[in-house]
Amino acid sequence: MNFRFKSASLVAIAAAAVLGLSACGSGETATENPNSSAESAGEITVYNAQHESMTKAWADAFTEETGIKVTLRKGSDTEMSNQIIAEGEKSPADVFITENSPAMAQLANEDLFDPISDTVTEQVPEQYRPSTDAWTGVAARSTVFVYNKDMLKEADLPKSIMDLAKPEWKGKWGASPSGADYQAIVSAMLELEGEEATAKWLEGMKENSKAYKGNSAVMKAVNAGEIAGGVIYHYYYFGDQAKTGENSGNVVQHYFKNEDPGAFVSVSGAGVLKSSENKEAAHKFVEYITSTEGQNMLSEGTDWEYPVGKDVEPREGLVPLEELEAPKVDPSKLNSEKVVELMTAAGLI
Amino acid sequence: MSNKPGAGTTTARHPKGGWSKRSGPPVGVLTVGILISLGTLIPLGFVAVMTVNTGWETAYNLIVRPRVAHLLLNTVLLTLVTVPLCIAIGVLGAWLVERTSLPGAKAWALILAAPLAVPAFVNSYAWVSTIPSLSGLWSGVLISVLSYYPLVYIPTAAMLRRMDPAIEQSAASLGLGPWNVFRRVVLPQLWIPIIGGALLVGLHLLSEYGAFAMIRFETFTTAIMVQYQSTFNSSAANMLASVLVFLCLLLLLTETSIRGNARYARIGSGVASTPTILPLGRWRIPAIAVVVVITVLALGVPLVNVFRWLLAGGSRIWNTPELTTAVLQTLGYGLTGAIATTILAFPIAWLAVRYSGPATRFIEGLNYVTSSMPGIVVGLALITVTINFAFPLYQTAPVVIAAYVLLFMPRALVTLRTGLSQAPRELEEASRALGHSPLSSFFRVTLRLTAPAAAGGAALVFLAVSTELTATLLLAPTGVHTLATQFWSLTSEIDYAGAAPYALAMIVLSLPMTYLLYSQSQKAAGL
C-alpha cells in the first residue's frame, strides 16, 4: 500500500462523510439534485429576494391550500437575478420574487420568463404590471424622506429629492447605496430625469451623503441624530413603530409627492421562469400570491408593504397609494445596469 | 504498489529544480500536493479569466479611480496598525501567562485564548449595538485586534511551553540578563508562531466582511461584496478582487522572506526541565491589569451585550424552529469541513517543512493566495465551475465543503507546519533504519508527533467554518441556513435581540474548539 492509495482512501472517507452529512445533517431539506423533476406535480423552488417572513407566510398558506411544497432560497434582488442568468437553462428556480422591479426587468430582457397567466392579469391592475406582462407586481413600496424632528423643521425640508445634491445638504443625509432598494430609486430618477442629470446628482450625493448598510441602519442613524435625514422606503418606520419604536421615536416621514423622482413607488415583482420543470405549480403560486387572499396577507402581517391586488385595502395607518402622487414609470424600463455603472463612476459603490 | 525511496534516504541526488539538496520528495506525496494545490487555482483562475475578459482599458479605468485609492488606503492602514498590535498583545499575553509569576496564570492562559470563540462579526455587533456611531478605521482596528490577537497568542504560548528551557538556562549561566535571554534566545524561537499568526491575522483582515460592514468601514472585501450584490457584469468587482489578490501576494512574500529556513527540533518528547519563571515583583499589579483589560474588552463586552439582548428579547427570540436547524447544520458543516481540510493540508505541510524550497513554497503559497480571497469570490468561482462543468454538484453540500477547504487551508497549514517543524526528521529516519517503510515510519512517528498540531488545525478550521458567511450564503443548498447566515440576516434588519441567540450559539459552539486548541498545546508541553 503506498501513500497515494492511503490518502486517496482518506479523501474518500471524507467525501463519504460529506455526502452522509448532506443526506442527514440538513434536517428537513435533504439536498436534491436540481435536475430531478419532483415526484408528484407538487414541488417548487422559489428564489426569494422579498422579505423572508412575508414569502414564508405565503408559501405556508399556499402549501396548506394546494399540497404543493415550496422551498425558499434567499438572496438580494440583483444577486439572484445574476445567479439565475448564470444558471441558465438548468436553473433550479421555478419562481423569482423581488423587492424591486429592476432585477425583474433584467430577466425579462434576457427573455427568461414564462408570461404570466390571465388569472394574474385580472387580479393585478395595469399600473402594477410591466407593459410586457413577462412578470407581475406583487407588492409596492414608496420612497420616503425620513428626518429627525429635533434637527430639521418642516420649512427646511427638501421640496424634491433632487435638492439633496445641493451644497446646503452636505453631511446631513444618508442612504444605503449598496442596496437594491436604493438602486431602484436611482433607476426611477434615471428614467425620469435622464442620464446626465442623474450622474450629476449622484456626484452631489457622493459629496453630501453618508453610506449605511441597509435602510434599517439609515433610519436608526436618523433617529440617533447622526444624520438629519435619510432616503429609504416607507415600511421601516411603520414596522418599528408597531414593535418598540426604539429606532424611530425621533423620526418623522416626509413624502415628496408631486410626481417627484423621490415620490417613486417601487413595485416588487414575481415571475415564473421558462426553464421551470413545474410551470403549472409555479403559475399557481404566482396566482395565489396575487389573489385577494394572498394580497390580504400583506395588509394583515407585520410587513407594512402596500398590496397591489384589485380591491385590497392597504393596512390601517398607511398613506393610500393614490395620495402619494407617484411619478409614472413603466417598471420594465428600469435599467439597473446603467444605474450601477453610474454609481460606480460616482464612487458610491 | 512498490515503495518508493522517500524522504531522508541518503542516496545522493542531483540538486535539481527547487528541491533542497538532501533529496527529492516522494512522488506520491508530491502528486497529491500538486493536485490539491491545483484545485486551489479555480478561484484564482476565475478572477484571471474575468480580468482578461474585461479588457485592458476597462480594467485600467476600474482600478485607477479615487474609490480604489480610498479602499487601498483603508485596507493598508488597517493592516499596518492591526498586525503589530496583535503581535504585541499576543506575545505579551503569552509571555505573562507562561513565563512570569502572574497570579492564576493557568486560568488566564485559557481566558486569553477564549476571545477566539467570539466571531469578529459578533464582536462588531456587540460594540456597534452599544455605541451606534462606531465607524471608520479606528473602530475597524479595535474590533480586529480584539477578535484576532488570539491567532498570535495561542501558537506563541504553545511554543513558549514547548521550548527547551535548557538553552535559556545556558544563556543565563553565561551571564545574560532576563531581557537579553528573551531577546537573543526566546524571541528567535518564537519567530515561527509569531510570523505564522501575523500572516493569519493579515489574511483575516483582507477577507473579513461582516465585522467591517456593520461598522461602515470599507475595505476591498466589503466593496467587492457590494459590487457583486448589485452588478450584472462583475468586472468592477473582479478588478477589486485582482487588487486584493495582489495585496495578499505581497503579504505572503513578506512572510516568506521574514520566516527564513530555521529549524527548531529537539529529540525526545516533553520538556526536559521546567522553564524559569520570572518573579514579577512590583510589576505584578500592571501585569494583572494588562490581562484584565484585554479580557474585559475582548470577552466581557461581547458576552455582556449578547446577554443584554437575550434579556431584552425575552421568549420571542427562542421560539424559532430555525435556531435548532441552524445549530445542527452548522455543526455538520463545521466538522466535515474541519476533517476534510486537515487531511488535505497534511501532504502540503509535510512537503513545505521536509522539502523546503522554491517549488514547495510555491505549492504551499497557492493555498494562501486562494484563502485570502473573500468567500464571495470563491463562491462565485465555484458556482461558475459547477454550473458549467459539474451541474449535478451545483448547490450541494460537497461544493460548500470544497469552498471551506479552499478558504481555510492556511489555518490547518500554519499549525501543522509548526508541529512538523518540531517533529525531528531524525526519528523518522531511525524508524526506517529499523526496517519500517517510509509510509509506515510516517504513520508511526511523525503523524503521532504532529497529532496535537493537526487537532489544533482542525479546531481552527471548525471555528472558521462555523462562522463563515459569504461563501455559505452563495453556495449553501436551498433550505440550508447556518448560524452565521441567520445571524447576518437578523442584524441587517437591526433585530439585535432576534440575532442574540445565534450569536450565543456561535460562541457556545466555538468554545469547546478553543478549549481543545488550548489543551492540545498543554499536552504538547507534557502537563
Side-chain angles (χ1 to χ4, degrees), chain A residues 3 18 21-22 26 31 47 73-74 78 82-83 86-87 90 106 178 183 211-213 216 336-337 340 344 349, chain B residues 1 65 67 209 216 226-227 229-232 329 332 336 387 391 394-395 397-398 439 474 476-478 488-489 494:
Chain A
F3 188 87
V18 175
L21 158 93
S22 62
S26 53
T31 46
Y47 274 30
R73 186 175 183 90
K74 194 178 127 151
T78 42
N82 288 311
Q83 198 168 350
E87 287 163 356
K90 295 170 283 192
Q106 185 197 357
S178 59
Q183 289 174 15
Y212 289 84
K213 193 197 164 309
S216 308
S336 55
E337 199 164 1
V340 169
T344 301
I349 55 172
Chain B
M1 288 274 172
R65 55 185 186 122
R67 179 159 169 85
Y209 167 67
R216 306 194 304 112
V226 165
Q227 276 287 351
Q229 280 173 341
S230 44
T231 194
F232 297 158
Q329 289 178 342
T336 318
I387 282 181
F391 201 76
Y394 180 66
Q395 288 181 359
L439 189 68
L474 238 68
T478 301
W488 189 245
S489 60
I494 314 284

Short mmCIF file of all heavy atoms in Angstrom, two decimals, chain A residues 3 18 21-22 26 31 47 73-74 78 82-83 86-87 90 106 178 183 211-213 216 336-337 340 344 349, chain B residues 1 65 67 209 216 226-227 229-232 329 332 336 387 391 394-395 397-398 439 474 476-478 488-489 494:
data_model
loop_
_atom_site.label_atom_id
_atom_site.label_comp_id
_atom_site.label_asym_id
_atom_site.label_seq_id
_atom_site.Cartn_x
_atom_site.Cartn_y
_atom_site.Cartn_z
N PHE A 3 1.50 5.56 -0.35
CA PHE A 3 0.90 6.74 0.28
C PHE A 3 -0.29 7.27 -0.52
O PHE A 3 -1.28 7.69 0.03
CB PHE A 3 1.97 7.85 0.40
CG PHE A 3 1.49 9.02 1.21
CD1 PHE A 3 1.64 9.01 2.58
CD2 PHE A 3 0.85 10.08 0.60
CE1 PHE A 3 1.18 10.07 3.32
CE2 PHE A 3 0.38 11.13 1.35
CZ PHE A 3 0.56 11.13 2.72
N VAL A 18 -19.02 13.78 3.90
CA VAL A 18 -19.73 14.95 3.37
C VAL A 18 -21.09 14.55 2.79
O VAL A 18 -22.10 15.17 3.07
CB VAL A 18 -18.89 15.63 2.27
CG1 VAL A 18 -19.69 16.76 1.63
CG2 VAL A 18 -17.61 16.17 2.86
N LEU A 21 -23.42 13.67 5.39
CA LEU A 21 -23.89 14.90 6.04
C LEU A 21 -25.02 15.54 5.24
O LEU A 21 -26.02 15.96 5.78
CB LEU A 21 -22.72 15.87 6.16
CG LEU A 21 -23.07 17.34 6.33
CD1 LEU A 21 -23.12 17.66 7.80
CD2 LEU A 21 -22.06 18.21 5.63
N SER A 22 -24.81 15.57 3.92
CA SER A 22 -25.82 16.26 3.13
C SER A 22 -27.14 15.50 3.15
O SER A 22 -28.18 16.07 2.94
CB SER A 22 -25.32 16.45 1.70
OG SER A 22 -25.11 15.19 1.11
N SER A 26 -29.04 17.97 7.23
CA SER A 26 -29.76 19.19 6.92
C SER A 26 -31.24 19.10 7.27
O SER A 26 -32.08 19.69 6.62
CB SER A 26 -29.58 19.52 5.44
OG SER A 26 -29.94 18.40 4.66
N THR A 31 -30.55 17.51 0.43
CA THR A 31 -30.21 18.16 -0.84
C THR A 31 -30.78 17.35 -1.98
O THR A 31 -30.70 16.13 -1.99
CB THR A 31 -28.68 18.23 -1.02
OG1 THR A 31 -28.16 16.96 -0.68
CG2 THR A 31 -28.08 19.27 -0.15
N TYR A 47 -36.86 31.43 -5.70
CA TYR A 47 -35.72 32.31 -5.41
C TYR A 47 -36.32 33.60 -4.88
O TYR A 47 -36.98 34.34 -5.62
CB TYR A 47 -34.89 32.57 -6.67
CG TYR A 47 -33.85 31.52 -6.92
CD1 TYR A 47 -34.01 30.20 -6.52
CD2 TYR A 47 -32.65 31.84 -7.58
CE1 TYR A 47 -33.04 29.24 -6.75
CE2 TYR A 47 -31.67 30.88 -7.81
CZ TYR A 47 -31.88 29.59 -7.40
OH TYR A 47 -30.90 28.64 -7.63
N ARG A 73 -35.20 29.92 -1.42
CA ARG A 73 -33.78 30.27 -1.38
C ARG A 73 -33.70 31.79 -1.26
O ARG A 73 -34.40 32.52 -1.94
CB ARG A 73 -33.08 29.82 -2.66
CG ARG A 73 -31.57 30.04 -2.58
CD ARG A 73 -30.81 29.50 -3.76
NE ARG A 73 -29.39 29.69 -3.54
CZ ARG A 73 -28.61 28.80 -2.93
NH1 ARG A 73 -29.12 27.67 -2.49
NH2 ARG A 73 -27.33 29.04 -2.75
N LYS A 74 -32.82 32.24 -0.36
CA LYS A 74 -32.81 33.65 -0.01
C LYS A 74 -31.63 34.38 -0.64
O LYS A 74 -30.55 33.83 -0.76
CB LYS A 74 -32.67 33.69 1.50
CG LYS A 74 -32.96 34.98 2.12
CD LYS A 74 -32.82 34.80 3.61
CE LYS A 74 -31.88 35.84 4.08
NZ LYS A 74 -32.07 36.26 5.41
N THR A 78 -30.62 41.74 -7.21
CA THR A 78 -29.77 41.60 -8.39
C THR A 78 -28.75 40.48 -8.24
O THR A 78 -28.27 39.94 -9.22
CB THR A 78 -29.06 42.93 -8.72
OG1 THR A 78 -28.60 43.52 -7.50
CG2 THR A 78 -30.02 43.88 -9.39
N ASN A 82 -28.74 37.71 -11.26
CA ASN A 82 -27.49 37.28 -11.90
C ASN A 82 -27.27 35.79 -11.76
O ASN A 82 -26.76 35.13 -12.66
CB ASN A 82 -26.30 38.00 -11.26
CG ASN A 82 -26.26 39.44 -11.68
OD1 ASN A 82 -26.37 39.75 -12.84
ND2 ASN A 82 -26.14 40.33 -10.71
N GLN A 83 -27.64 35.28 -10.60
CA GLN A 83 -27.48 33.85 -10.37
C GLN A 83 -28.34 33.07 -11.35
O GLN A 83 -27.89 32.09 -11.94
CB GLN A 83 -27.87 33.53 -8.93
CG GLN A 83 -27.35 32.20 -8.46
CD GLN A 83 -27.50 32.04 -6.96
OE1 GLN A 83 -27.81 32.98 -6.24
NE2 GLN A 83 -27.27 30.84 -6.48
N ALA A 86 -26.81 33.11 -14.74
CA ALA A 86 -25.66 32.21 -14.80
C ALA A 86 -26.10 30.74 -14.86
O ALA A 86 -25.51 29.92 -15.54
CB ALA A 86 -24.75 32.44 -13.60
N GLU A 87 -27.17 30.43 -14.14
CA GLU A 87 -27.66 29.05 -14.13
C GLU A 87 -28.27 28.67 -15.47
O GLU A 87 -28.23 27.50 -15.88
CB GLU A 87 -28.72 28.88 -13.03
CG GLU A 87 -28.13 28.87 -11.62
CD GLU A 87 -29.18 29.12 -10.55
OE1 GLU A 87 -30.36 29.37 -10.91
OE2 GLU A 87 -28.84 29.07 -9.37
N LYS A 90 -30.58 25.40 -16.75
CA LYS A 90 -30.62 24.39 -15.70
C LYS A 90 -31.07 24.95 -14.35
O LYS A 90 -31.02 24.25 -13.35
CB LYS A 90 -29.24 23.74 -15.58
CG LYS A 90 -28.86 22.96 -16.84
CD LYS A 90 -27.41 22.53 -16.82
CE LYS A 90 -26.45 23.68 -17.14
NZ LYS A 90 -25.07 23.22 -17.41
N GLN A 106 -34.43 42.91 -15.73
CA GLN A 106 -33.20 42.30 -16.25
C GLN A 106 -33.48 40.91 -16.82
O GLN A 106 -33.06 40.58 -17.92
CB GLN A 106 -32.18 42.22 -15.12
CG GLN A 106 -30.83 41.71 -15.58
CD GLN A 106 -29.96 41.25 -14.44
OE1 GLN A 106 -30.35 41.35 -13.27
NE2 GLN A 106 -28.79 40.76 -14.76
N SER A 178 -25.70 50.64 -1.45
CA SER A 178 -25.39 49.29 -1.91
C SER A 178 -26.64 48.43 -2.05
O SER A 178 -26.59 47.34 -2.62
CB SER A 178 -24.43 48.62 -0.92
OG SER A 178 -25.02 48.57 0.36
N GLN A 183 -31.01 51.50 -5.20
CA GLN A 183 -30.68 51.49 -6.63
C GLN A 183 -31.93 51.54 -7.49
O GLN A 183 -31.91 52.09 -8.60
CB GLN A 183 -29.81 50.27 -6.96
CG GLN A 183 -28.41 50.41 -6.38
CD GLN A 183 -27.54 49.19 -6.53
OE1 GLN A 183 -27.84 48.29 -7.30
NE2 GLN A 183 -26.44 49.15 -5.78
N ALA A 211 -22.95 56.78 3.79
CA ALA A 211 -23.43 55.47 3.34
C ALA A 211 -23.64 54.53 4.52
O ALA A 211 -22.77 54.41 5.39
CB ALA A 211 -22.44 54.86 2.36
N TYR A 212 -24.79 53.90 4.57
CA TYR A 212 -25.08 52.91 5.61
C TYR A 212 -25.37 51.58 4.95
O TYR A 212 -25.65 51.52 3.75
CB TYR A 212 -26.26 53.34 6.47
CG TYR A 212 -25.92 54.50 7.36
CD1 TYR A 212 -25.98 55.80 6.88
CD2 TYR A 212 -25.50 54.29 8.68
CE1 TYR A 212 -25.63 56.87 7.68
CE2 TYR A 212 -25.15 55.36 9.49
CZ TYR A 212 -25.22 56.65 8.98
OH TYR A 212 -24.85 57.70 9.78
N LYS A 213 -25.31 50.51 5.74
CA LYS A 213 -25.61 49.20 5.18
C LYS A 213 -27.05 48.84 5.54
O LYS A 213 -27.32 48.42 6.66
CB LYS A 213 -24.64 48.15 5.75
CG LYS A 213 -24.69 46.87 4.96
CD LYS A 213 -24.09 45.71 5.72
CE LYS A 213 -24.49 44.40 5.12
NZ LYS A 213 -25.92 44.23 4.89
N SER A 216 -32.62 49.97 7.44
CA SER A 216 -32.85 50.00 8.88
C SER A 216 -31.75 50.80 9.57
O SER A 216 -32.01 51.58 10.49
CB SER A 216 -32.82 48.58 9.45
OG SER A 216 -33.68 47.74 8.75
N SER A 336 -31.19 48.88 -14.15
CA SER A 336 -30.25 48.97 -13.03
C SER A 336 -28.81 48.76 -13.46
O SER A 336 -27.89 49.11 -12.76
CB SER A 336 -30.63 47.98 -11.94
OG SER A 336 -30.69 46.70 -12.48
N GLU A 337 -28.63 48.20 -14.66
CA GLU A 337 -27.26 48.03 -15.15
C GLU A 337 -26.60 49.40 -15.30
O GLU A 337 -25.47 49.62 -14.86
CB GLU A 337 -27.30 47.31 -16.50
CG GLU A 337 -25.99 46.68 -16.86
CD GLU A 337 -26.13 45.66 -17.98
OE1 GLU A 337 -27.25 45.48 -18.47
OE2 GLU A 337 -25.11 45.07 -18.35
N VAL A 340 -25.95 50.99 -11.85
CA VAL A 340 -24.73 50.51 -11.20
C VAL A 340 -23.50 51.15 -11.83
O VAL A 340 -22.57 51.56 -11.14
CB VAL A 340 -24.65 48.97 -11.29
CG1 VAL A 340 -23.29 48.47 -10.86
CG2 VAL A 340 -25.73 48.34 -10.41
N THR A 344 -21.07 53.44 -9.77
CA THR A 344 -19.66 53.05 -9.70
C THR A 344 -18.79 54.22 -10.12
O THR A 344 -17.79 54.54 -9.48
CB THR A 344 -19.39 51.83 -10.61
OG1 THR A 344 -20.22 50.75 -10.18
CG2 THR A 344 -17.94 51.39 -10.53
N ILE A 349 -20.34 53.03 -5.07
CA ILE A 349 -20.22 51.58 -4.81
C ILE A 349 -18.96 51.06 -5.49
O ILE A 349 -18.38 51.73 -6.32
CB ILE A 349 -21.45 50.77 -5.31
CG1 ILE A 349 -21.70 51.01 -6.79
CG2 ILE A 349 -22.66 51.06 -4.48
CD1 ILE A 349 -22.75 50.10 -7.37
N MET B 1 2.31 -0.94 -6.47
CA MET B 1 2.29 -0.83 -5.02
C MET B 1 3.68 -0.94 -4.42
O MET B 1 3.88 -1.48 -3.36
CB MET B 1 1.42 -1.95 -4.42
CG MET B 1 -0.05 -1.70 -4.68
SD MET B 1 -0.76 -0.66 -3.43
CE MET B 1 -2.36 -0.34 -4.10
N ARG B 65 -9.00 54.56 -9.95
CA ARG B 65 -10.06 55.53 -9.67
C ARG B 65 -10.02 55.88 -8.19
O ARG B 65 -9.51 55.12 -7.38
CB ARG B 65 -11.44 55.02 -10.11
CG ARG B 65 -11.84 53.67 -9.52
CD ARG B 65 -13.16 53.21 -10.12
NE ARG B 65 -13.63 51.99 -9.44
CZ ARG B 65 -14.81 51.90 -8.82
NH1 ARG B 65 -15.62 52.94 -8.75
NH2 ARG B 65 -15.16 50.77 -8.26
N ARG B 67 -12.06 55.79 -5.79
CA ARG B 67 -12.62 54.85 -4.82
C ARG B 67 -11.62 53.75 -4.48
O ARG B 67 -11.50 53.34 -3.32
CB ARG B 67 -13.90 54.23 -5.38
CG ARG B 67 -14.52 53.21 -4.43
CD ARG B 67 -15.98 53.00 -4.71
NE ARG B 67 -16.49 51.84 -3.98
CZ ARG B 67 -16.92 51.87 -2.74
NH1 ARG B 67 -16.86 52.99 -2.05
NH2 ARG B 67 -17.39 50.78 -2.16
N TYR B 209 -15.62 40.32 6.12
CA TYR B 209 -16.72 41.11 5.55
C TYR B 209 -17.67 41.65 6.63
O TYR B 209 -17.81 42.85 6.83
CB TYR B 209 -17.49 40.29 4.52
CG TYR B 209 -18.80 40.91 4.14
CD1 TYR B 209 -18.83 42.11 3.44
CD2 TYR B 209 -20.01 40.32 4.50
CE1 TYR B 209 -20.03 42.71 3.12
CE2 TYR B 209 -21.22 40.92 4.17
CZ TYR B 209 -21.23 42.10 3.48
OH TYR B 209 -22.41 42.69 3.17
N ARG B 216 -19.53 50.17 9.04
CA ARG B 216 -19.39 51.06 7.90
C ARG B 216 -17.94 51.40 7.61
O ARG B 216 -17.60 52.54 7.30
CB ARG B 216 -20.20 52.36 8.10
CG ARG B 216 -21.67 52.08 8.43
CD ARG B 216 -22.53 53.30 8.30
NE ARG B 216 -22.07 54.41 9.12
CZ ARG B 216 -21.58 55.54 8.64
NH1 ARG B 216 -21.48 55.72 7.36
NH2 ARG B 216 -21.19 56.49 9.45
N VAL B 226 -20.42 44.48 -2.14
CA VAL B 226 -21.43 45.43 -2.60
C VAL B 226 -21.57 45.35 -4.12
O VAL B 226 -22.67 45.31 -4.66
CB VAL B 226 -21.05 46.87 -2.18
CG1 VAL B 226 -21.86 47.90 -2.95
CG2 VAL B 226 -21.25 47.04 -0.69
N GLN B 227 -20.43 45.31 -4.81
CA GLN B 227 -20.47 45.23 -6.26
C GLN B 227 -21.17 43.95 -6.73
O GLN B 227 -22.02 43.98 -7.61
CB GLN B 227 -19.06 45.28 -6.85
CG GLN B 227 -18.52 46.69 -7.02
CD GLN B 227 -19.19 47.42 -8.19
OE1 GLN B 227 -19.93 46.84 -8.98
NE2 GLN B 227 -18.92 48.72 -8.29
N GLN B 229 -23.31 42.21 -5.19
CA GLN B 229 -24.74 42.18 -4.89
C GLN B 229 -25.53 43.07 -5.83
O GLN B 229 -26.73 42.93 -5.94
CB GLN B 229 -24.98 42.62 -3.44
CG GLN B 229 -24.71 41.50 -2.46
CD GLN B 229 -24.78 41.98 -1.02
OE1 GLN B 229 -24.68 43.18 -0.77
NE2 GLN B 229 -24.95 41.08 -0.09
N SER B 230 -24.86 44.01 -6.47
CA SER B 230 -25.65 44.97 -7.24
C SER B 230 -25.25 45.07 -8.70
O SER B 230 -25.79 45.90 -9.40
CB SER B 230 -25.55 46.34 -6.58
OG SER B 230 -24.23 46.63 -6.21
N THR B 231 -24.31 44.26 -9.14
CA THR B 231 -23.87 44.47 -10.51
C THR B 231 -24.19 43.25 -11.38
O THR B 231 -24.33 42.15 -10.90
CB THR B 231 -22.38 44.79 -10.55
OG1 THR B 231 -22.07 45.29 -11.83
CG2 THR B 231 -21.53 43.57 -10.27
N PHE B 232 -24.29 43.51 -12.64
CA PHE B 232 -24.64 42.42 -13.55
C PHE B 232 -23.40 41.79 -14.14
O PHE B 232 -23.21 40.61 -14.13
CB PHE B 232 -25.53 42.93 -14.69
CG PHE B 232 -26.81 43.45 -14.20
CD1 PHE B 232 -27.56 44.32 -14.94
CD2 PHE B 232 -27.29 43.06 -12.95
CE1 PHE B 232 -28.77 44.81 -14.46
CE2 PHE B 232 -28.48 43.53 -12.47
CZ PHE B 232 -29.22 44.41 -13.23
N GLN B 329 -27.07 22.20 11.37
CA GLN B 329 -26.41 22.34 10.08
C GLN B 329 -25.01 22.93 10.23
O GLN B 329 -24.07 22.51 9.55
CB GLN B 329 -27.28 23.17 9.15
CG GLN B 329 -28.52 22.37 8.73
CD GLN B 329 -29.46 23.14 7.85
OE1 GLN B 329 -29.40 24.36 7.79
NE2 GLN B 329 -30.34 22.43 7.17
N GLY B 332 -22.69 20.13 11.49
CA GLY B 332 -22.38 19.18 10.42
C GLY B 332 -21.36 19.73 9.45
O GLY B 332 -20.35 19.08 9.16
N THR B 336 -17.34 18.41 9.15
CA THR B 336 -16.91 17.86 7.87
C THR B 336 -15.83 18.73 7.24
O THR B 336 -14.82 18.22 6.74
CB THR B 336 -18.10 17.75 6.90
OG1 THR B 336 -19.23 17.26 7.63
CG2 THR B 336 -17.79 16.81 5.77
N ILE B 387 -21.82 25.07 -12.42
CA ILE B 387 -22.88 25.25 -13.41
C ILE B 387 -22.43 24.75 -14.77
O ILE B 387 -23.16 24.08 -15.49
CB ILE B 387 -23.29 26.74 -13.51
CG1 ILE B 387 -24.18 27.11 -12.35
CG2 ILE B 387 -24.02 27.01 -14.82
CD1 ILE B 387 -24.66 28.53 -12.38
N PHE B 391 -22.82 20.13 -13.18
CA PHE B 391 -24.12 20.59 -12.68
C PHE B 391 -24.76 19.73 -11.61
O PHE B 391 -25.41 20.27 -10.71
CB PHE B 391 -25.10 20.82 -13.84
CG PHE B 391 -26.21 21.74 -13.43
CD1 PHE B 391 -25.97 23.10 -13.34
CD2 PHE B 391 -27.46 21.24 -13.09
CE1 PHE B 391 -26.99 23.95 -12.93
CE2 PHE B 391 -28.47 22.11 -12.68
CZ PHE B 391 -28.23 23.46 -12.60
N TYR B 394 -24.07 21.19 -8.36
CA TYR B 394 -24.48 22.57 -8.09
C TYR B 394 -25.43 22.64 -6.89
O TYR B 394 -26.35 21.85 -6.78
CB TYR B 394 -25.14 23.13 -9.34
CG TYR B 394 -25.62 24.54 -9.20
CD1 TYR B 394 -24.73 25.59 -9.02
CD2 TYR B 394 -26.98 24.84 -9.26
CE1 TYR B 394 -25.17 26.89 -8.89
CE2 TYR B 394 -27.43 26.14 -9.14
CZ TYR B 394 -26.52 27.16 -8.96
OH TYR B 394 -26.96 28.45 -8.82
N GLN B 395 -25.14 23.58 -6.00
CA GLN B 395 -25.95 23.76 -4.78
C GLN B 395 -26.04 22.48 -3.93
O GLN B 395 -27.10 22.17 -3.38
CB GLN B 395 -27.36 24.25 -5.13
CG GLN B 395 -27.39 25.69 -5.58
CD GLN B 395 -28.78 26.20 -5.90
OE1 GLN B 395 -29.76 25.47 -5.80
NE2 GLN B 395 -28.88 27.46 -6.26
N ALA B 397 -23.93 19.99 -0.82
CA ALA B 397 -23.02 20.13 0.31
C ALA B 397 -21.53 19.97 -0.06
O ALA B 397 -20.70 20.73 0.44
CB ALA B 397 -23.41 19.15 1.41
N PRO B 398 -21.16 18.99 -0.90
CA PRO B 398 -19.73 18.84 -1.21
C PRO B 398 -19.09 20.12 -1.75
O PRO B 398 -17.92 20.38 -1.49
CB PRO B 398 -19.71 17.72 -2.26
CG PRO B 398 -20.91 16.92 -1.97
CD PRO B 398 -21.94 17.89 -1.50
N LEU B 439 6.34 5.03 4.53
CA LEU B 439 4.96 5.34 4.87
C LEU B 439 4.66 4.92 6.30
O LEU B 439 4.09 5.69 7.09
CB LEU B 439 4.03 4.61 3.89
CG LEU B 439 2.58 5.04 4.02
CD1 LEU B 439 2.43 6.47 3.53
CD2 LEU B 439 1.68 4.12 3.23
N LEU B 474 -23.84 32.01 -0.59
CA LEU B 474 -23.92 31.77 -2.03
C LEU B 474 -24.11 30.30 -2.39
O LEU B 474 -24.84 29.97 -3.31
CB LEU B 474 -22.61 32.25 -2.66
CG LEU B 474 -22.77 33.30 -3.73
CD1 LEU B 474 -23.26 34.58 -3.09
CD2 LEU B 474 -21.43 33.52 -4.39
N ALA B 476 -24.70 27.46 -0.24
CA ALA B 476 -25.47 26.51 0.57
C ALA B 476 -26.64 25.95 -0.22
O ALA B 476 -27.29 26.67 -0.99
CB ALA B 476 -25.97 27.19 1.83
N PRO B 477 -26.90 24.65 -0.06
CA PRO B 477 -28.07 24.08 -0.71
C PRO B 477 -29.32 24.84 -0.28
O PRO B 477 -29.40 25.32 0.85
CB PRO B 477 -28.11 22.65 -0.16
CG PRO B 477 -26.71 22.35 0.25
CD PRO B 477 -26.13 23.66 0.68
N THR B 478 -30.28 24.98 -1.18
CA THR B 478 -31.51 25.69 -0.87
C THR B 478 -32.16 25.08 0.37
O THR B 478 -32.33 23.87 0.45
CB THR B 478 -32.47 25.62 -2.06
OG1 THR B 478 -31.82 26.20 -3.19
CG2 THR B 478 -33.75 26.38 -1.79
N TRP B 488 -26.71 37.00 10.36
CA TRP B 488 -26.47 38.13 9.46
C TRP B 488 -27.77 38.74 8.98
O TRP B 488 -27.92 39.96 8.95
CB TRP B 488 -25.61 37.68 8.28
CG TRP B 488 -25.17 38.84 7.45
CD1 TRP B 488 -25.52 39.10 6.17
CD2 TRP B 488 -24.33 39.91 7.87
NE1 TRP B 488 -24.94 40.27 5.76
CE2 TRP B 488 -24.22 40.80 6.79
CE3 TRP B 488 -23.68 40.22 9.06
CZ2 TRP B 488 -23.46 41.96 6.84
CZ3 TRP B 488 -22.93 41.38 9.13
CH2 TRP B 488 -22.82 42.23 8.04
N SER B 489 -28.73 37.90 8.60
CA SER B 489 -29.97 38.48 8.08
C SER B 489 -30.73 39.21 9.19
O SER B 489 -31.37 40.23 8.93
CB SER B 489 -30.83 37.43 7.38
OG SER B 489 -31.19 36.42 8.27
N ILE B 494 -31.56 45.08 11.82
CA ILE B 494 -31.42 45.72 13.13
C ILE B 494 -32.26 45.00 14.18
O ILE B 494 -32.73 45.59 15.15
CB ILE B 494 -31.77 47.25 13.08
CG1 ILE B 494 -31.11 47.91 11.88
CG2 ILE B 494 -31.35 47.96 14.33
CD1 ILE B 494 -29.63 48.19 12.00
#
